[in-house]
Amino acid sequence: LFICGGAFPDLDEIIKQRLSKQSGMGFNADLKDRYDKEKNILKKVTVEDIKKFGTIPEFVGRLPIICTMDGLSKEMLVNILKEPKNAITKQYQVSFAVDDVELVFSDGAIDAIAETAIRHKTGARGLRAIVEKMLLDVMFEIPSIRGRRKLTITKEMVESNKVAASLLIENQKTA
């Protein structure tokens, strides 16, 4: 049993090319650009399209059923960030708690992280990379800052892709 999944960039172009070969001229003819705006073009994939994409026929022959999956929506990505027992945000909160830092993600920040993943077309796998890149510098500076601190991640921090450790120091002085 083989179960394969993944992204196939530009596979939609191969499908459009195959479908538009049947276009012609006249009043009832299919136009070449008919499929340009179709959202579910991947649902029309065939074995021949996958071969043309570059997958070797011996491998394609071992995949008797081919189906497509829809991309994750923003709401789905937000749920992935917040809901599971081992959600990414919860993992970072536990990691920061080891150094006595209360890490809080605002709703705007979580939405911005999901939007970034959609914009970069990285899906759920890209969520961790986005959060880690944003918090990387702070994670190294936290151990040198003493006392109980609170760090709230905002939408602006996500959009700028950086969280300053100075925010932790300011929180320490006011606490």
mmCIF file with all atom_site columns, all heavy atoms in Angstrom, residues 69-80:
data_model
loop_
_atom_site.group_PDB
_atom_site.id
_atom_site.type_symbol
_atom_site.label_atom_id
_atom_site.label_alt_id
_atom_site.label_comp_id
_atom_site.label_asym_id
_atom_site.label_entity_id
_atom_site.label_seq_id
_atom_site.pdbx_PDB_ins_code
_atom_site.Cartn_x
_atom_site.Cartn_y
_atom_site.Cartn_z
_atom_site.occupancy
_atom_site.B_iso_or_equiv
_atom_site.pdbx_formal_charge
_atom_site.auth_seq_id
_atom_site.auth_comp_id
_atom_site.auth_asym_id
_atom_site.auth_atom_id
_atom_site.pdbx_PDB_model_num
ATOM 1  N N   . MET A 1 69 ? -6.439  16.889 -2.744 1.00 0.00 ? 69 MET A N   1
ATOM 2  C CA  . MET A 1 69 ? -6.834  17.459 -1.462 1.00 0.00 ? 69 MET A CA  1
ATOM 3  C C   . MET A 1 69 ? -6.872  18.971 -1.601 1.00 0.00 ? 69 MET A C   1
ATOM 4  O O   . MET A 1 69 ? -6.047  19.551 -2.306 1.00 0.00 ? 69 MET A O   1
ATOM 5  C CB  . MET A 1 69 ? -5.826  17.064 -0.382 1.00 0.00 ? 69 MET A CB  1
ATOM 6  C CG  . MET A 1 69 ? -5.797  15.578 -0.126 1.00 0.00 ? 69 MET A CG  1
ATOM 7  S SD  . MET A 1 69 ? -4.592  15.134 1.107  1.00 0.00 ? 69 MET A SD  1
ATOM 8  C CE  . MET A 1 69 ? -3.119  15.041 0.103  1.00 0.00 ? 69 MET A CE  1
ATOM 9  N N   . ASP A 1 70 ? -7.819  19.570 -0.941 1.00 0.00 ? 70 ASP A N   1
ATOM 10 C CA  . ASP A 1 70 ? -7.913  21.017 -0.953 1.00 0.00 ? 70 ASP A CA  1
ATOM 11 C C   . ASP A 1 70 ? -6.889  21.594 0.005  1.00 0.00 ? 70 ASP A C   1
ATOM 12 O O   . ASP A 1 70 ? -6.528  20.968 1.012  1.00 0.00 ? 70 ASP A O   1
ATOM 13 C CB  . ASP A 1 70 ? -9.318  21.472 -0.537 1.00 0.00 ? 70 ASP A CB  1
ATOM 14 C CG  . ASP A 1 70 ? -10.372 21.055 -1.548 1.00 0.00 ? 70 ASP A CG  1
ATOM 15 O OD1 . ASP A 1 70 ? -10.037 20.968 -2.745 1.00 0.00 ? 70 ASP A OD1 1
ATOM 16 O OD2 . ASP A 1 70 ? -11.519 20.824 -1.136 1.00 0.00 ? 70 ASP A OD2 1
ATOM 17 N N   . GLY A 1 71 ? -6.440  22.797 -0.290 1.00 0.00 ? 71 GLY A N   1
ATOM 18 C CA  . GLY A 1 71 ? -5.526  23.479 0.603  1.00 0.00 ? 71 GLY A CA  1
ATOM 19 C C   . GLY A 1 71 ? -6.211  23.855 1.906  1.00 0.00 ? 71 GLY A C   1
ATOM 20 O O   . GLY A 1 71 ? -7.444  23.904 1.995  1.00 0.00 ? 71 GLY A O   1
ATOM 21 N N   . LEU A 1 72 ? -5.414  24.101 2.913  1.00 0.00 ? 72 LEU A N   1
ATOM 22 C CA  . LEU A 1 72 ? -5.962  24.477 4.212  1.00 0.00 ? 72 LEU A CA  1
ATOM 23 C C   . LEU A 1 72 ? -6.413  25.928 4.194  1.00 0.00 ? 72 LEU A C   1
ATOM 24 O O   . LEU A 1 72 ? -5.723  26.792 3.651  1.00 0.00 ? 72 LEU A O   1
ATOM 25 C CB  . LEU A 1 72 ? -4.907  24.280 5.301  1.00 0.00 ? 72 LEU A CB  1
ATOM 26 C CG  . LEU A 1 72 ? -4.451  22.843 5.528  1.00 0.00 ? 72 LEU A CG  1
ATOM 27 C CD1 . LEU A 1 72 ? -3.270  22.809 6.483  1.00 0.00 ? 72 LEU A CD1 1
ATOM 28 C CD2 . LEU A 1 72 ? -5.585  22.007 6.055  1.00 0.00 ? 72 LEU A CD2 1
ATOM 29 N N   . SER A 1 73 ? -7.549  26.183 4.800  1.00 0.00 ? 73 SER A N   1
ATOM 30 C CA  . SER A 1 73 ? -8.056  27.549 4.901  1.00 0.00 ? 73 SER A CA  1
ATOM 31 C C   . SER A 1 73 ? -7.418  28.240 6.100  1.00 0.00 ? 73 SER A C   1
ATOM 32 O O   . SER A 1 73 ? -6.768  27.601 6.934  1.00 0.00 ? 73 SER A O   1
ATOM 33 C CB  . SER A 1 73 ? -9.573  27.540 5.062  1.00 0.00 ? 73 SER A CB  1
ATOM 34 O OG  . SER A 1 73 ? -9.926  27.003 6.325  1.00 0.00 ? 73 SER A OG  1
ATOM 35 N N   . LYS A 1 74 ? -7.624  29.530 6.195  1.00 0.00 ? 74 LYS A N   1
ATOM 36 C CA  . LYS A 1 74 ? -7.085  30.299 7.317  1.00 0.00 ? 74 LYS A CA  1
ATOM 37 C C   . LYS A 1 74 ? -7.638  29.773 8.636  1.00 0.00 ? 74 LYS A C   1
ATOM 38 O O   . LYS A 1 74 ? -6.902  29.636 9.619  1.00 0.00 ? 74 LYS A O   1
ATOM 39 C CB  . LYS A 1 74 ? -7.427  31.780 7.141  1.00 0.00 ? 74 LYS A CB  1
ATOM 40 C CG  . LYS A 1 74 ? -6.931  32.642 8.259  1.00 0.00 ? 74 LYS A CG  1
ATOM 41 C CD  . LYS A 1 74 ? -7.331  34.083 8.019  1.00 0.00 ? 74 LYS A CD  1
ATOM 42 C CE  . LYS A 1 74 ? -7.163  34.911 9.272  1.00 0.00 ? 74 LYS A CE  1
ATOM 43 N NZ  . LYS A 1 74 ? -7.698  36.252 9.114  1.00 0.00 ? 74 LYS A NZ  1
ATOM 44 N N   . GLU A 1 75 ? -8.920  29.463 8.661  1.00 0.00 ? 75 GLU A N   1
ATOM 45 C CA  . GLU A 1 75 ? -9.542  28.956 9.892  1.00 0.00 ? 75 GLU A CA  1
ATOM 46 C C   . GLU A 1 75 ? -8.925  27.631 10.310 1.00 0.00 ? 75 GLU A C   1
ATOM 47 O O   . GLU A 1 75 ? -8.708  27.384 11.500 1.00 0.00 ? 75 GLU A O   1
ATOM 48 C CB  . GLU A 1 75 ? -11.057 28.796 9.701  1.00 0.00 ? 75 GLU A CB  1
ATOM 49 C CG  . GLU A 1 75 ? -11.810 30.101 9.545  1.00 0.00 ? 75 GLU A CG  1
ATOM 50 C CD  . GLU A 1 75 ? -11.672 30.710 8.143  1.00 0.00 ? 75 GLU A CD  1
ATOM 51 O OE1 . GLU A 1 75 ? -11.420 29.964 7.163  1.00 0.00 ? 75 GLU A OE1 1
ATOM 52 O OE2 . GLU A 1 75 ? -11.793 31.935 8.024  1.00 0.00 ? 75 GLU A OE2 1
ATOM 53 N N   . MET A 1 76 ? -8.632  26.777 9.344  1.00 0.00 ? 76 MET A N   1
ATOM 54 C CA  . MET A 1 76 ? -8.000  25.491 9.645  1.00 0.00 ? 76 MET A CA  1
ATOM 55 C C   . MET A 1 76 ? -6.607  25.693 10.223 1.00 0.00 ? 76 MET A C   1
ATOM 56 O O   . MET A 1 76 ? -6.214  25.017 11.174 1.00 0.00 ? 76 MET A O   1
ATOM 57 C CB  . MET A 1 76 ? -7.928  24.625 8.388  1.00 0.00 ? 76 MET A CB  1
ATOM 58 C CG  . MET A 1 76 ? -9.243  24.139 7.881  1.00 0.00 ? 76 MET A CG  1
ATOM 59 S SD  . MET A 1 76 ? -8.955  23.265 6.314  1.00 0.00 ? 76 MET A SD  1
ATOM 60 C CE  . MET A 1 76 ? -10.619 22.858 5.853  1.00 0.00 ? 76 MET A CE  1
ATOM 61 N N   . LEU A 1 77 ? -5.851  26.615 9.632  1.00 0.00 ? 77 LEU A N   1
ATOM 62 C CA  . LEU A 1 77 ? -4.505  26.884 10.136 1.00 0.00 ? 77 LEU A CA  1
ATOM 63 C C   . LEU A 1 77 ? -4.549  27.470 11.549 1.00 0.00 ? 77 LEU A C   1
ATOM 64 O O   . LEU A 1 77 ? -3.719  27.127 12.394 1.00 0.00 ? 77 LEU A O   1
ATOM 65 C CB  . LEU A 1 77 ? -3.762  27.826 9.178  1.00 0.00 ? 77 LEU A CB  1
ATOM 66 C CG  . LEU A 1 77 ? -3.409  27.221 7.820  1.00 0.00 ? 77 LEU A CG  1
ATOM 67 C CD1 . LEU A 1 77 ? -2.867  28.292 6.887  1.00 0.00 ? 77 LEU A CD1 1
ATOM 68 C CD2 . LEU A 1 77 ? -2.415  26.091 7.967  1.00 0.00 ? 77 LEU A CD2 1
ATOM 69 N N   . VAL A 1 78 ? -5.515  28.337 11.811 1.00 0.00 ? 78 VAL A N   1
ATOM 70 C CA  . VAL A 1 78 ? -5.674  28.904 13.151 1.00 0.00 ? 78 VAL A CA  1
ATOM 71 C C   . VAL A 1 78 ? -5.968  27.787 14.148 1.00 0.00 ? 78 VAL A C   1
ATOM 72 O O   . VAL A 1 78 ? -5.399  27.749 15.251 1.00 0.00 ? 78 VAL A O   1
ATOM 73 C CB  . VAL A 1 78 ? -6.779  29.986 13.167 1.00 0.00 ? 78 VAL A CB  1
ATOM 74 C CG1 . VAL A 1 78 ? -7.184  30.346 14.579 1.00 0.00 ? 78 VAL A CG1 1
ATOM 75 C CG2 . VAL A 1 78 ? -6.306  31.224 12.413 1.00 0.00 ? 78 VAL A CG2 1
ATOM 76 N N   . ASN A 1 79 ? -6.831  26.859 13.777 1.00 0.00 ? 79 ASN A N   1
ATOM 77 C CA  . ASN A 1 79 ? -7.130  25.732 14.658 1.00 0.00 ? 79 ASN A CA  1
ATOM 78 C C   . ASN A 1 79 ? -5.899  24.868 14.910 1.00 0.00 ? 79 ASN A C   1
ATOM 79 O O   . ASN A 1 79 ? -5.690  24.390 16.020 1.00 0.00 ? 79 ASN A O   1
ATOM 80 C CB  . ASN A 1 79 ? -8.260  24.877 14.082 1.00 0.00 ? 79 ASN A CB  1
ATOM 81 C CG  . ASN A 1 79 ? -9.614  25.514 14.266 1.00 0.00 ? 79 ASN A CG  1
ATOM 82 O OD1 . ASN A 1 79 ? -9.797  26.366 15.134 1.00 0.00 ? 79 ASN A OD1 1
ATOM 83 N ND2 . ASN A 1 79 ? -10.564 25.112 13.451 1.00 0.00 ? 79 ASN A ND2 1
ATOM 84 N N   . ILE A 1 80 ? -5.095  24.672 13.886 1.00 0.00 ? 80 ILE A N   1
ATOM 85 C CA  . ILE A 1 80 ? -3.864  23.900 14.038 1.00 0.00 ? 80 ILE A CA  1
ATOM 86 C C   . ILE A 1 80 ? -2.921  24.596 15.012 1.00 0.00 ? 80 ILE A C   1
ATOM 87 O O   . ILE A 1 80 ? -2.233  23.950 15.811 1.00 0.00 ? 80 ILE A O   1
ATOM 88 C CB  . ILE A 1 80 ? -3.182  23.683 12.669 1.00 0.00 ? 80 ILE A CB  1
ATOM 89 C CG1 . ILE A 1 80 ? -4.023  22.719 11.829 1.00 0.00 ? 80 ILE A CG1 1
ATOM 90 C CG2 . ILE A 1 80 ? -1.762  23.158 12.825 1.00 0.00 ? 80 ILE A CG2 1
ATOM 91 C CD1 . ILE A 1 80 ? -3.621  22.631 10.380 1.00 0.00 ? 80 ILE A CD1 1
#
